[in-house]
């Protein structure tokens, strides 16, 4: 190769080297920018103490009496204590349509508990009924909860007779149990604010409902007869905060559990059922709530005329909840 050819080859090599350097330099700048951007997006979290858990409540039977616990597992499907899972039992008609305290107010006086693989039903002026928790030979019933489909394992003729007699129902009433292998409901089918992947058993919408003691106290101060948190069927009751402060908690941490607010809880006629007597008055505290707890006009398409009281949450991180746990609001 002559000298001219060597020079051309060297020039070409230098050009390729420069191109590579430019490319590598550009890649390094890009990676640096991405790293800085990631650090910016991942701004440190701030935990602000906003309250303390004062009560934990499960409602194993939808519309049934609450079970107070000192600690509970907080799972994607809601609270669990031993064999009891929140709203995993449902009263239905023979054709599978749900029956709640809206139609049968005395359901709020029915207690459902579990011990040693047995389910126990108790109610005023009724003998306790026990039946096996697991009854794989029983049929699976197709059910409807707020016009969405879900299944339930029939709990047997004994439970059916007990509930039918207790309610004095003209038609046969049955009890069903949601099992892990069954197809759950998707709240987003009824309420688009919920994530499409979110799943529940028999709750109205969300797996967890939170309410503060101060909000209940504020409402009671406007009523002739004070009410308790149990009337509103929350899972988590928080103390040591101001009334309705929970409305602004978009994401909270309690122990290792993380909860995400989805929407406020719109209230209905069920709030007028006294949880201690099973009597429905069809007026209070709903009318008083309507007088001062209406949504912003921009949200009328979501809540319509329902007053807002409490918050519906989804579970971002599961774990254990305990009475006395500090509640932290997460900000970034």
């Amino acid at each position: 190769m002559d000298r001219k050819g060597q020079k051309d080859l060297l020039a070409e090599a230098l050009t390729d080297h420069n191109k590579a350097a430019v490319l590598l330099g550009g890649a390094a700048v890009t990676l640096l920018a991405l790293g800085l951007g990631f650090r910016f997006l991942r701004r440190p979290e701030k935990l602000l103490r906003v309250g303390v858990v004062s009560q934990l409540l499960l409602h194993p039977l939808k519309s049934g009496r609450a079970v107070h616990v000192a600690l509970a597992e907080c799972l994607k499907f809601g609270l669990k204590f031993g064999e009891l899972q929140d709203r995993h039992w449902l009263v239905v008609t023979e054709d599978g349509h749900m029956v709640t305290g809206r139609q049968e107010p005395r359901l709020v006086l029915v207690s459902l508990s579990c011990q040693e693989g047995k389910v126990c039903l108790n109610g005023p002026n009724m003998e306790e009924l026990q039946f096996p928790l697991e009854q794989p030979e029983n049929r699976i019933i197709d059910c409807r909860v707020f016009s969405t489909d879900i299944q339930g394992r029939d709990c047997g003729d004994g439970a059916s007779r007990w509930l039918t007699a207790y309610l004095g129902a003209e038609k046969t009433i049955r009890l069903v149990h949601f099992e892990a292998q069954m197809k759950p409901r998707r709240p987003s089918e009824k309420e688009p604010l919920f994530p499409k992947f979110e799943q529940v058993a028999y709750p109205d919408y969300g797996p967890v409902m939170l309410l503060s003691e101060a909000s209940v106290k504020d409402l009671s101060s406007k009523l002739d007869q004070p009410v308790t948190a149990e009337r509103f069927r929350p899972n988590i009751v928080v103390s040591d905060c101001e009334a309705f402060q929970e409305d602004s908690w978009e994401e909270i941490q309690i122990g290792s559990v993380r909860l995400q607010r989805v929407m406020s809880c719109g209230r209905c006629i069920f709030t007028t059922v006294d949880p201690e007597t099973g009597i429905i008055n069809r007026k209070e505290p709903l009318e008083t709530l309507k007088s001062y707890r209406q949504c912003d006009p921009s949200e009328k398409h979501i809540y319509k005329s329902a007053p807002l009281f409490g918050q519906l949450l989804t579970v971002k991180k599961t774990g254990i909840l305990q009475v006395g746990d500090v509640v932290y609001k997460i900000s970034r």
Side-chain angles (χ1 to χ4, degrees):
M1 181 182 297
D2 60 19
R3 184 168 294 180
K4 183 179 182 303
Q6 291 176 353
K7 287 182 177 179
D8 291 343
L9 187 60
L10 180 60
E12 186 178 340
L14 287 170
T15 300
D16 290 344
H17 176 76
N18 289 339
K19 287 180 179 179
V22 169
L23 288 172
L24 287 170
V29 171
T30 301
L31 287 171
L32 179 62
L34 286 173
L36 289 172
F38 182 74
R39 286 184 65 186
F40 178 76
L41 290 173
R42 295 278 296 179
R43 285 175 295 179
E45 293 179 345
K46 295 180 180 179
L47 299 182
L48 176 66
R49 184 187 189 279
V50 291
V52 176
V53 175
S54 60
Q55 296 182 63
L56 293 171
L57 302 94
L58 281 80
H59 304 85
L61 173 65
K62 186 173 179 68
S63 288
R65 189 181 288 277
V67 177
H68 290 254
V69 295
L71 63 84
E73 295 179 77
C74 187
L75 307 176
K76 290 290 187 180
F77 274 68
L79 269 57
K80 181 177 186 291
F81 179 77
E83 295 172 317
L84 294 178
Q85 287 189 262
D86 192 68
R87 295 168 173 93
H88 269 51
W89 281 264
L90 176 70
V91 177
V92 296
T93 58
E94 279 200 292
D95 58 1
H97 284 83
M98 71 172 183
V99 177
T100 72
R102 299 166 182 84
Q103 303 88 31
E104 297 288 350
R106 293 181 68 245
L107 264 180
V108 302
L109 305 179
V110 176
S111 297
L112 187 149
S113 59
C114 288
Q115 51 187 350
E116 299 179 349
K118 295 278 188 181
V119 178
C120 305
L121 283 179
N122 282 281
N125 304 314
M126 298 289 292
E127 288 190 14
E128 179 179 85
L129 176 73
Q130 295 189 7
F131 56 88
L133 173 63
E134 304 290 341
Q135 300 187 79
E137 72 284 355
N138 286 8
R139 67 187 176 118
I140 293 176
I141 297 176
D142 292 323
C143 306
R144 298 278 285 176
V145 175
F146 290 109
S147 59
T148 56
D149 296 326
I150 192 168
Q151 295 178 320
R153 176 82 65 183
D154 186 79
C155 292
D157 291 339
S160 174
R161 287 191 294 268
W162 192 97
L163 283 164
T164 302
Y166 171 74
L167 295 174
E170 295 180 0
K171 295 182 179 179
T172 301
I173 298 295
R174 305 202 72 84
L175 180 67
V176 298
H177 178 220
F178 182 82
E179 298 175 344
Q181 77 279 7
M182 294 177 177
K183 183 180 178 181
R185 290 165 52 238
R186 293 187 181 272
S188 60
E189 293 180 10
K190 192 72 177 174
E191 181 41 72
L193 288 178
F194 277 88
K196 291 190 181 298
F197 58 81
E198 196 66 35
Q199 299 177 332
V200 293
Y202 303 136
D204 287 7
Y205 293 112
V208 176
M209 205 281 276
L210 179 146
L211 182 63
S212 74
E213 286 185 355
S215 298
V216 177
K217 185 177 180 180
D218 182 89
L219 171 61
S220 289
S221 70
K222 297 173 172 58
L223 299 170
D224 292 334
Q225 297 292 327
V227 292
T228 62
E230 284 84 352
R231 183 177 289 248
F232 305 98
R233 311 184 70 76
N235 300 114
I236 303 172
V237 180
V238 179
S239 63
D240 201 20
C241 66
E242 295 180 3
F244 308 112
Q245 192 176 350
E246 65 268 29
D247 296 357
S248 64
W249 301 342
E250 291 300 320
E251 187 177 353
I252 60 174
Q253 180 163 327
I254 307 173
S256 62
V257 175
R258 291 210 170 192
L259 301 167
Q260 180 72 52
R261 177 186 179 274
V262 177
M263 61 187 295
S264 298
C265 189
R267 294 303 179 166
C268 69
I269 196 73
F270 195 16
T271 59
T272 70
V273 178
D274 188 328
E276 296 304 317
T277 65
I279 295 173
I280 187 170
N281 67 56
R282 299 190 176 277
K283 185 178 179 181
E284 292 293 1
L286 189 60
E287 291 302 316
T288 297
L289 277 175
K290 285 181 177 180
S291 72
Y292 80 116
R293 286 294 297 168
Q294 291 291 334
C295 68
D296 186 272
S298 65
E299 296 181 317
K300 281 289 185 183
H301 65 290
I302 300 171
Y303 301 109
K304 300 178 176 59
S305 63
L308 310 182
F309 203 64
Q311 299 297 317
L312 297 174
L313 312 170
T314 58
V315 182
K316 292 186 68 175
K317 185 180 179 184
T318 61
I320 301 296
L321 298 175
Q322 297 187 64
V323 171
D325 279 347
V326 175
V327 181
Y328 295 97
K329 176 182 176 180
I330 301 172
S331 61
R332 292 179 177 86

